[in-house]
């Protein structure tokens, strides 16, 4: 029955594929583009520290909570809640996740499009001989164009849609399992180059020496929101993916591994970027362009920089792709399983609607950059509401569902694979799930919104 279910619900053929899919979803633009950029905006070390605390106390327990829900119910995000808590309102976080998926993929597709442009620029050797100011101008000039970023966004969304449609997610996830270690190696090489640049230590101090005077409520909320974003939490992605996991999988070990890998890659990306930011005199709070402005400088200072640069942007695009298909999958699984739409129609509809919603995001970097509401552009608003409001609230409900509704016995049965495995961490996990995670999320959330 179980195998039949997996086959019918079409997805990953093997255990390897599922783990690769979860890691592929977590590791993406969040680690390499967003983490360094918001760390720069919110002042460095103290922000990083809050981020790491959020990952350990909140992120990890919620990863495990989503795994418990998904694997127990073996359904999409909304269907899982309906199955485990029939006749209740517990499906609401599933609906919120669906909306968050729409919003996140809208701006994610835009930034992923930028990586394709940069891949193209790398291949055509466009960075050669450019100084930091030129590279900054190059990025600004590119994102403020009308058509070109949208062109790349459409290409990227087309690729995402095509992979989901062709049902070859398993293939791409397995390929990414081979490719992501290569990306890791490039980042480590970049790290070595970056930390040996003159003036690098200032960048490391910025990243790792907390200066609490720079920490604001808004910064803390962003650290929390980013913990969710980076781990693909709070919107049912991991519920959906774990619904395909085998009943033999050790959920806790997998949760720890994914969390460590995801956080490690973000930190390594930070180590590649901040020393270079200071060495080249770039503004750490430069915003969404930080990675695109900084790294081409570093590649120029490296033997073989031309090839490394191509490989880096290629793999960054692949990392973005394995994340974007996981976001689209949340929407498609819902349309197919709950609304009984045909998979093809569901995929094309969802991808088109999301791409259209992404267009104003792209424009808000250029022609619409002055169109702001409370100092945020359309792009900023989508990111803010999805990452900092919907994901933490979704996560709060998910963890509370496991802590309070499912309760210890059912959770224990699921994490121990019906008594096969030991789970000495269970009391700690239940404590985090019932009390710590919900309370901390609520406090950071209200404080960040200025309500507390
Ligand atoms: N975790 C992805 C990243 O860090 O790039 C982004 C993401 C994927 C967010 C899936 C949310 C999600 F459900």
């Amino acid at each position: 029955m179980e195998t039949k279910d997996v086959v019918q619900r079409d997805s990953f053929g093997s255990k390897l594929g599922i783990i690769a899919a979860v890691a592929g979803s977590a590791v993406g633009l969040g680690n390499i583009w967003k983490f360094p950029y918001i760390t720069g905006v919110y002042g460095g070390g103290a922000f990083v520290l809050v981020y790491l605390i959020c990952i350990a106390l909140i992120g990890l327990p919620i990863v495990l909570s989503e795994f418990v829900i998904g694997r127990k119910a073996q359904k999409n995000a909304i269907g899982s809640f309906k199955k485990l808590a029939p006749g209740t309102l517990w499906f609401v976080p599933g609906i919120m996740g669906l909306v968050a998926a729409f919003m996140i993929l809208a701006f994610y597709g835009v930034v992923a499009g930028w990586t394709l442009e940069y891949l193209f620029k790398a291949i055509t050797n466009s960075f050669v001989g450019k100084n930091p100011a030129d590279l900054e101008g190059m990025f600004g000039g590119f994102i403020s164009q009308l058509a070109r970023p949208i062109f790349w966004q459409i290409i990227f969304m087309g690729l995402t849609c095509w992979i989901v449609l062709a049902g070859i997610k398993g293939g791409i996830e397995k390929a990414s399992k081979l490719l992501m270690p290569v990306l890791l190696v490039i980042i480590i090489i970049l790290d070595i180059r970056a930390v040996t640049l003159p003036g690098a230590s200032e960048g490391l101090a910025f990243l790792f020496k907390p200066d609490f005077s720079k920490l604001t409520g808004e910064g803390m909320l962003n650290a929390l929101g980013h913990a969710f974003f980076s781990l693909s939490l709070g919107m049912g992605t991991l519920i959906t993916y774990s619904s395909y996991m085998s009943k033999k999988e050790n959920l806790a070990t997998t949760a720890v591994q994914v969390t460590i890998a995801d956080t490690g890659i973000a930190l390594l990306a930070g180590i590649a970027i901040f020393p270079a930011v200071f060495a080249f005199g770039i503004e750490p709070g430069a915003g969404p362009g930080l990675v695109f402005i900084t790294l081409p400088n570093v590649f120029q200072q490296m033997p073989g920089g031309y090839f490394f640069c191509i490989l880096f942007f290629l793999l960054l695009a692949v990392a973005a792709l394995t994340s974007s298909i996981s976001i689209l999958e949340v929407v498609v699984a819902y349309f197919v399983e709950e609304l009984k739409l045909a998979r093809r129609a569901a995929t094309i509809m969802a991808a088109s609607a999301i791409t259209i919603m992404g267009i104003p995001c792209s424009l808000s970097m250029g022609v619409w950059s002055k169109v702001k509401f409370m100092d945020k552009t359309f792009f900023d608003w989508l990111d803010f509401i999805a990452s900092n409001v919907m994901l933490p609230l979704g996560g709060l409900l998910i963890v509370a569902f496991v802590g309070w509704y499912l309760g210890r016995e059912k959770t224990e049965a699921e994490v121990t694979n019906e008594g096969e495995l030991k789970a000495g961490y269970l009391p700690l996990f239940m404590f985090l799930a019932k009390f710590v995670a919900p309370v901390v999320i609520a406090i950071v959330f209200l404080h960040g919104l200025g309500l507390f």
Side-chain angles (χ1 to χ4, degrees), residues 364-406:
S364 73
M365 293 287 165
V367 284
W368 287 358
S369 62
K370 299 276 179 307
V371 184
K372 287 186 176 175
F373 176 66
M374 290 169 71
D375 213 32
K376 282 188 170 54
T377 62
F378 186 72
F379 184 110
D380 299 333
W381 272 112
L382 273 195
D383 185 8
F384 180 81
I385 293 176
S387 313
N388 298 350
V389 179
M390 315 246 329
L391 298 187
L393 285 186
L396 175 81
L397 294 172
I398 287 168
V399 79
F401 178 79
V402 172
W404 295 97
Y405 187 89
L406 273 189

Side-chain angles (χ1 to χ4, degrees), residues 153-378:
Q153 179 217 351
I154 292 173
I155 299 280
F156 181 84
M157 289 301 298
L159 275 172
T160 304
C161 182
W162 175 66
I163 290 170
V164 172
L165 258 185
I168 49 170
K169 295 187 299 296
I172 165 114
E173 303 289 3
K174 270 183 218 151
S176 96
K177 203 174 160 113
L178 293 174
L179 292 175
M180 289 308 109
V182 184
L183 179 62
L184 182 64
V185 171
I186 298 181
I187 295 176
I188 292 173
I189 295 173
L190 272 169
D191 284 341
I192 296 169
R193 176 64 276 212
V195 299
T196 50
L197 286 168
S201 54
E202 221 185 313
L204 290 176
F206 179 84
L207 189 59
F208 291 119
K209 239 171 108 187
D211 173 355
F212 290 100
S213 67
K214 289 191 185 148
L215 193 64
T216 59
E218 194 193 332
M220 284 168 70
L221 178 58
N222 270 274
L224 176 73
H226 188 63
F228 283 94
F229 185 89
S230 192
L231 289 170
S232 305
L233 281 185
M235 56 177 247
T237 305
L238 298 187
I239 296 181
T240 307
Y241 271 17
S242 58
S243 72
Y244 301 111
M245 278 185 193
S246 113
K247 291 284 183 193
K248 295 209 174 65
E249 197 68 62
N250 187 332
L251 295 182
T253 317
T254 308
V256 171
Q257 284 167 347
V258 171
T259 304
I260 290 179
D262 187 70
T263 311
I265 292 188
L267 291 175
L268 288 171
I271 297 172
I273 286 161
F274 285 103
V277 162
F278 283 85
F280 296 118
I282 296 165
E283 174 55 44
L290 191 68
V291 179
F292 295 93
I293 297 166
T294 310
L295 291 186
N297 284 298
V298 185
F299 285 117
Q300 288 203 64
Q301 309 279 328
M302 263 167 64
Y306 172 73
F307 292 101
F308 281 125
C309 188
I310 294 177
L311 208 54
F312 173 80
F313 282 111
L314 176 68
L315 296 176
L316 185 56
V318 174
L321 204 52
T322 56
S323 300
S324 66
I325 56 184
S326 76
I327 308 175
L328 186 57
E329 183 61 31
V330 171
V331 183
V332 172
Y334 171 74
F335 279 0
V336 172
E337 290 177 21
E338 303 297 310
L339 303 185
K340 310 288 177 221
L341 283 180
R343 192 171 171 87
R344 202 182 155 76
T347 310
I348 294 176
M349 259 170 47
S352 310
I354 291 168
T355 307
I356 291 170
M357 194 149 94
I359 290 176
C361 287
S362 183
L363 294 179
S364 73
M365 293 287 165
V367 284
W368 287 358
S369 62
K370 299 276 179 307
V371 184
K372 287 186 176 175
F373 176 66
M374 290 169 71
D375 213 32
K376 282 188 170 54
T377 62
F378 186 72

